[in-house]
PDB file of all heavy atoms in Angstrom:
ATOM      1  N   PHE A 312       0.452  -5.695 -16.098  1.00 93.00           N
ATOM      2  CA  PHE A 312       1.327  -5.272 -15.016  1.00 93.00           C
ATOM      3  C   PHE A 312       2.759  -5.053 -15.626  1.00 93.00           C
ATOM      4  O   PHE A 312       3.418  -4.015 -15.285  1.00 93.00           O
ATOM      5  CB  PHE A 312       1.341  -6.311 -13.933  1.00 93.00           C
ATOM      6  CG  PHE A 312       1.996  -5.827 -12.648  1.00 93.00           C
ATOM      7  CD1 PHE A 312       2.220  -4.492 -12.425  1.00 93.00           C
ATOM      8  CD2 PHE A 312       2.349  -6.714 -11.653  1.00 93.00           C
ATOM      9  CE1 PHE A 312       2.808  -4.056 -11.227  1.00 93.00           C
ATOM     10  CE2 PHE A 312       2.966  -6.296 -10.513  1.00 93.00           C
ATOM     11  CZ  PHE A 312       3.180  -4.989 -10.258  1.00 93.00           C
ATOM     12  N   VAL A 313       3.234  -5.942 -16.430  1.00 94.00           N
ATOM     13  CA  VAL A 313       4.528  -5.758 -17.056  1.00 94.00           C
ATOM     14  C   VAL A 313       4.573  -4.509 -17.913  1.00 94.00           C
ATOM     15  O   VAL A 313       5.533  -3.740 -17.882  1.00 94.00           O
ATOM     16  CB  VAL A 313       4.952  -6.966 -17.908  1.00 94.00           C
ATOM     17  CG1 VAL A 313       6.120  -6.790 -18.723  1.00 94.00           C
ATOM     18  CG2 VAL A 313       5.079  -8.247 -17.001  1.00 94.00           C
ATOM     19  N   VAL A 314       3.541  -4.288 -18.753  1.00 94.00           N
ATOM     20  CA  VAL A 314       3.506  -3.112 -19.581  1.00 94.00           C
ATOM     21  C   VAL A 314       3.527  -1.876 -18.752  1.00 94.00           C
ATOM     22  O   VAL A 314       4.306  -0.891 -19.088  1.00 94.00           O
ATOM     23  CB  VAL A 314       2.246  -3.112 -20.496  1.00 94.00           C
ATOM     24  CG1 VAL A 314       2.062  -1.846 -21.227  1.00 94.00           C
ATOM     25  CG2 VAL A 314       2.293  -4.286 -21.499  1.00 94.00           C
ATOM     26  N   ALA A 315       2.767  -1.796 -17.726  1.00 95.00           N
ATOM     27  CA  ALA A 315       2.737  -0.600 -16.838  1.00 95.00           C
ATOM     28  C   ALA A 315       4.068  -0.345 -16.164  1.00 95.00           C
ATOM     29  O   ALA A 315       4.530   0.748 -16.061  1.00 95.00           O
ATOM     30  CB  ALA A 315       1.663  -0.783 -15.720  1.00 95.00           C
ATOM     31  N   THR A 316       4.777  -1.436 -15.767  1.00 96.00           N
ATOM     32  CA  THR A 316       6.053  -1.325 -15.137  1.00 96.00           C
ATOM     33  C   THR A 316       7.127  -0.755 -16.047  1.00 96.00           C
ATOM     34  O   THR A 316       7.878   0.172 -15.695  1.00 96.00           O
ATOM     35  CB  THR A 316       6.475  -2.708 -14.620  1.00 96.00           C
ATOM     36  OG1 THR A 316       5.562  -3.207 -13.649  1.00 96.00           O
ATOM     37  CG2 THR A 316       7.812  -2.594 -13.924  1.00 96.00           C
ATOM     38  N   VAL A 317       7.159  -1.216 -17.275  1.00 96.00           N
ATOM     39  CA  VAL A 317       8.118  -0.770 -18.283  1.00 96.00           C
ATOM     40  C   VAL A 317       7.826   0.744 -18.576  1.00 96.00           C
ATOM     41  O   VAL A 317       8.749   1.560 -18.695  1.00 96.00           O
ATOM     42  CB  VAL A 317       8.093  -1.605 -19.550  1.00 96.00           C
ATOM     43  CG1 VAL A 317       8.944  -1.000 -20.636  1.00 96.00           C
ATOM     44  CG2 VAL A 317       8.582  -3.007 -19.211  1.00 96.00           C
ATOM     45  N   LEU A 318       6.585   1.049 -18.752  1.00 96.00           N
ATOM     46  CA  LEU A 318       6.221   2.443 -19.058  1.00 96.00           C
ATOM     47  C   LEU A 318       6.613   3.363 -17.895  1.00 96.00           C
ATOM     48  O   LEU A 318       7.086   4.509 -18.206  1.00 96.00           O
ATOM     49  CB  LEU A 318       4.654   2.485 -19.320  1.00 96.00           C
ATOM     50  CG  LEU A 318       4.174   3.861 -19.750  1.00 96.00           C
ATOM     51  CD1 LEU A 318       4.751   4.249 -21.089  1.00 96.00           C
ATOM     52  CD2 LEU A 318       2.616   3.811 -19.883  1.00 96.00           C
ATOM     53  N   PHE A 319       6.472   2.980 -16.653  1.00 96.00           N
ATOM     54  CA  PHE A 319       6.859   3.802 -15.524  1.00 96.00           C
ATOM     55  C   PHE A 319       8.382   4.012 -15.546  1.00 96.00           C
ATOM     56  O   PHE A 319       8.809   5.095 -15.252  1.00 96.00           O
ATOM     57  CB  PHE A 319       6.443   3.161 -14.226  1.00 96.00           C
ATOM     58  CG  PHE A 319       6.568   3.972 -13.021  1.00 96.00           C
ATOM     59  CD1 PHE A 319       5.545   4.856 -12.622  1.00 96.00           C
ATOM     60  CD2 PHE A 319       7.752   3.973 -12.308  1.00 96.00           C
ATOM     61  CE1 PHE A 319       5.687   5.668 -11.512  1.00 96.00           C
ATOM     62  CE2 PHE A 319       7.918   4.794 -11.129  1.00 96.00           C
ATOM     63  CZ  PHE A 319       6.858   5.619 -10.764  1.00 96.00           C
ATOM     64  N   ALA A 320       9.115   2.966 -15.817  1.00 97.00           N
ATOM     65  CA  ALA A 320      10.595   3.090 -15.871  1.00 97.00           C
ATOM     66  C   ALA A 320      11.006   4.100 -16.945  1.00 97.00           C
ATOM     67  O   ALA A 320      11.934   4.941 -16.744  1.00 97.00           O
ATOM     68  CB  ALA A 320      11.249   1.740 -16.128  1.00 97.00           C
ATOM     69  N   VAL A 321      10.396   4.024 -18.085  1.00 97.00           N
ATOM     70  CA  VAL A 321      10.686   5.016 -19.181  1.00 97.00           C
ATOM     71  C   VAL A 321      10.388   6.419 -18.718  1.00 97.00           C
ATOM     72  O   VAL A 321      11.223   7.366 -18.928  1.00 97.00           O
ATOM     73  CB  VAL A 321       9.887   4.636 -20.430  1.00 97.00           C
ATOM     74  CG1 VAL A 321       9.970   5.750 -21.472  1.00 97.00           C
ATOM     75  CG2 VAL A 321      10.334   3.339 -21.017  1.00 97.00           C
ATOM     76  N   ALA A 322       9.273   6.628 -18.058  1.00 96.00           N
ATOM     77  CA  ALA A 322       8.896   7.954 -17.534  1.00 96.00           C
ATOM     78  C   ALA A 322       9.918   8.471 -16.520  1.00 96.00           C
ATOM     79  O   ALA A 322      10.299   9.634 -16.520  1.00 96.00           O
ATOM     80  CB  ALA A 322       7.492   7.913 -16.955  1.00 96.00           C
ATOM     81  N   ALA A 347       1.202   5.030 -16.256  1.00 94.00           N
ATOM     82  CA  ALA A 347       1.710   3.756 -15.795  1.00 94.00           C
ATOM     83  C   ALA A 347       1.343   3.432 -14.328  1.00 94.00           C
ATOM     84  O   ALA A 347       1.049   2.286 -13.977  1.00 94.00           O
ATOM     85  CB  ALA A 347       3.233   3.754 -15.912  1.00 94.00           C
ATOM     86  N   LEU A 438      12.439  -1.711 -12.835  1.00 96.00           N
ATOM     87  CA  LEU A 438      12.898  -2.624 -13.810  1.00 96.00           C
ATOM     88  C   LEU A 438      13.366  -3.948 -13.139  1.00 96.00           C
ATOM     89  O   LEU A 438      13.098  -5.080 -13.685  1.00 96.00           O
ATOM     90  CB  LEU A 438      14.086  -2.070 -14.649  1.00 96.00           C
ATOM     91  CG  LEU A 438      13.721  -0.951 -15.627  1.00 96.00           C
ATOM     92  CD1 LEU A 438      14.942  -0.376 -16.244  1.00 96.00           C
ATOM     93  CD2 LEU A 438      12.760  -1.515 -16.705  1.00 96.00           C
ATOM     94  N   LEU A 441      10.639  -6.621 -12.532  1.00 95.00           N
ATOM     95  CA  LEU A 441      10.240  -7.524 -13.594  1.00 95.00           C
ATOM     96  C   LEU A 441      10.801  -8.941 -13.466  1.00 95.00           C
ATOM     97  O   LEU A 441      10.192  -9.884 -13.977  1.00 95.00           O
ATOM     98  CB  LEU A 441      10.630  -6.954 -14.948  1.00 95.00           C
ATOM     99  CG  LEU A 441       9.978  -5.647 -15.371  1.00 95.00           C
ATOM    100  CD1 LEU A 441      10.608  -5.090 -16.665  1.00 95.00           C
ATOM    101  CD2 LEU A 441       8.430  -5.845 -15.587  1.00 95.00           C
TER     102      LEU A 441
END
Side-chain angles (χ1 to χ4, degrees):
F312 192 18
V313 170
V314 172
T316 300
V317 173
L318 187 61
F319 189 89
V321 170
L438 288 175
L441 294 173

